[in-house]
Amino acid sequence: MTRLLRVLAPLALLAAVGLPAAPAWAHAALVSSDPADGQRLSALPGTATLTFNEEISPPSYVVVTAPDGSRADRGEPRVDGSTVTVDLAKGEEGTYALAFRVISADGHPVTGRLTFVVGDGPLDTTGPTLAATPADSPTSARAAAADGGGPGLGTVQIAVGAGLLAAAGLLWVLARRRPR
């Protein structure tokens, strides 16, 4: 019993003060897009495609805003594994802004924005004002609710450390009890 206490007590202390943190679980990250951020095109393509480093869970929201502030996306985005695709309407020359909000495989929302230009005009990196953002979507409350995230790694370390300290304390008390 005393040996077990001698092993658990230092482990509990190390966990309580913080062992080197384990790597954080990464959320999905945008790997590529078509059109790419900053790309110049001769004409607006029929679709915009976003590719992530891991699978994406529906629903996904993609808003493409034309230079005049109108929506250039048409229909609901389609999710296929790590790829999200949305149809685009024919549009005028100028800078387009694409904003997205997707749900990574671990349930966390991932958002981003990119711009591209159609025609010879300058690329306006501030982009047009978004007519509607993915957060304006009526079902975005469900997506936002998925961002509860749970406890952070530090909280888990503290809880494990406290549990180990409590176990060590209990074992210490039991070891000190005298047999009757």
Side-chain angles (χ1 to χ4, degrees):
M1 188 70 90
T2 307
R3 261 193 231 168
L4 186 57
L5 177 62
R6 287 184 182 146
V7 171
L8 282 180
L11 288 176
L13 184 61
L14 284 174
V17 297
L19 289 168
W25 289 283
H27 304 308
L30 183 65
V31 176
S32 66
S33 65
D34 185 21
D37 190 25
Q39 185 176 4
R40 180 175 303 279
L41 306 166
S42 58
L44 189 66
T47 60
T49 304
L50 305 170
T51 304
F52 296 87
N53 65 337
E54 66 180 49
E55 287 198 18
I56 300 301
S57 300
S60 291
Y61 306 100
V62 179
V63 175
V64 181
T65 307
D68 65 1
S70 65
R71 295 277 299 261
D73 56 287
R74 297 291 179 252
E76 295 295 317
R78 297 176 300 284
V79 177
D80 183 17
S82 62
T83 303
V84 178
T85 305
V86 67
D87 293 326
L88 301 176
K90 298 291 181 204
E92 60 190 65
E93 289 191 0
T95 300
Y96 286 76
L98 182 150
F100 64 87
R101 180 181 174 102
V102 299
I103 307 299
S104 68
D106 65 2
H108 286 84
V110 177
T111 61
R113 184 173 185 267
L114 57 93
T115 56
F116 58 93
V117 66
V118 173
D120 294 327
L123 176 65
D124 178 6
T125 56
T126 61
T129 304
L130 293 174
T133 64
D136 294 332
S137 174
T139 56
S140 66
R142 279 185 286 152
D147 196 22
L153 189 56
T155 305
V156 172
Q157 282 178 317
I158 291 169
V160 168
L164 287 173
L165 280 174
L170 178 62
L171 288 173
W172 183 75
V173 168
L174 291 174
R176 304 248 336 170
R177 287 183 72 185
R178 295 185 185 154
R180 292 185 189 191

